[in-house]
Amino acid sequence: MKTAVYPGTFDPITLGHMDIIRRAAHLVDRLVVGVTTNPSKSPMFTVGERLDMVKRETAGVADGKIGVVSFDSLLMDFAVREGASMIVRGLRAVADFEYEYQMAGMNQQLNPDIETVFLMADVSLQPIASKLVKEIALYGGEIGRFVTPAVAVQVRDRVNQIGRKGS
């Protein structure tokens, strides 16, 4: 059975993430979406909230081939724990590639048995980034074109809790 992991912070999960998840699920027998922390990012949602959000959004996608778990370890250790032979990463722009290329090289040094596979985001979804979705929402902008309706409600509710910027 071919298993891949698709790691990310998913804060929040976007339509771009969902595109990569759907497409990656067709390449493997089992896709594990790994929800993690990133010390360089300031999350809007807790790991638990993001885990629930990703589980809800991926429910029913790809006939149950998708699992969603949280992890707080090296990606390669997580991949081994899940029995993965592949890491899936989404690319939007050249800047993404430079970072991901370096990470893939480091990961290969840590475990040469696990391949990194890059999937280009759908052209219509390439500009979408969680960071930008949060920024737009914090300034009162409409985010419905970038996330599902349920995620949009969740983000708007969180913005109402923490307060909008520029008001």
Side-chain angles (χ1 to χ4, degrees):
M1 173 164 28
K2 185 170 286 297
T3 298
V5 296
Y6 177 42
T9 52
F10 305 105
D11 184 47
I13 189 167
T14 68
L15 296 178
H17 292 130
M18 290 301 298
D19 175 57
I20 298 296
I21 289 168
R22 280 188 199 93
R23 291 172 40 221
H26 291 291
L27 302 175
V28 295
D29 301 308
R30 179 173 162 255
L31 177 66
V32 179
V33 180
V35 179
T36 189
T37 58
N38 183 332
S40 68
K41 295 182 179 181
S42 301
M44 179 176 272
F45 297 98
T46 67
V47 171
E49 289 169 329
R50 289 182 276 131
L51 187 65
D52 291 344
M53 185 185 303
V54 175
K55 284 180 179 178
R56 180 189 69 228
E57 296 301 316
T58 59
V61 175
D63 297 325
K65 291 171 49 171
I66 299 171
V68 182
V69 298
S70 64
F71 75 101
D72 186 21
S73 64
L74 286 174
L75 174 56
M76 298 313 276
D77 292 342
F78 171 65
V80 168
R81 187 177 83 218
E82 292 298 325
S85 59
M86 181 188 315
I87 295 168
V88 173
R89 298 299 292 162
L91 296 176
R92 294 175 309 216
V94 173
D96 285 351
F97 179 76
E98 291 173 12
Y99 171 79
E100 294 295 346
Y101 181 79
Q102 183 177 19
M103 291 302 297
M106 291 298 289
N107 286 335
Q108 185 180 36
Q109 294 293 316
L110 294 172
N111 189 332
D113 296 328
I114 299 176
E115 292 292 335
T116 300
V117 174
F118 299 111
L119 294 178
M120 294 298 297
D122 182 275
V123 173
S124 67
L125 303 173
Q126 284 179 1
I128 302 173
S130 294
K131 177 182 176 182
L132 298 176
V133 169
K134 290 185 290 190
E135 189 172 326
I136 291 166
L138 284 167
Y139 282 98
E142 178 52 47
I143 60 170
R145 290 177 289 172
F146 314 120
V147 296
T148 66
V151 172
V153 166
Q154 209 168 345
V155 171
R156 280 193 295 269
D157 287 349
R158 182 55 44 93
V159 168
N160 288 336
Q161 289 174 357
I162 62 177
R164 280 183 37 197
K165 294 187 183 253
S167 10

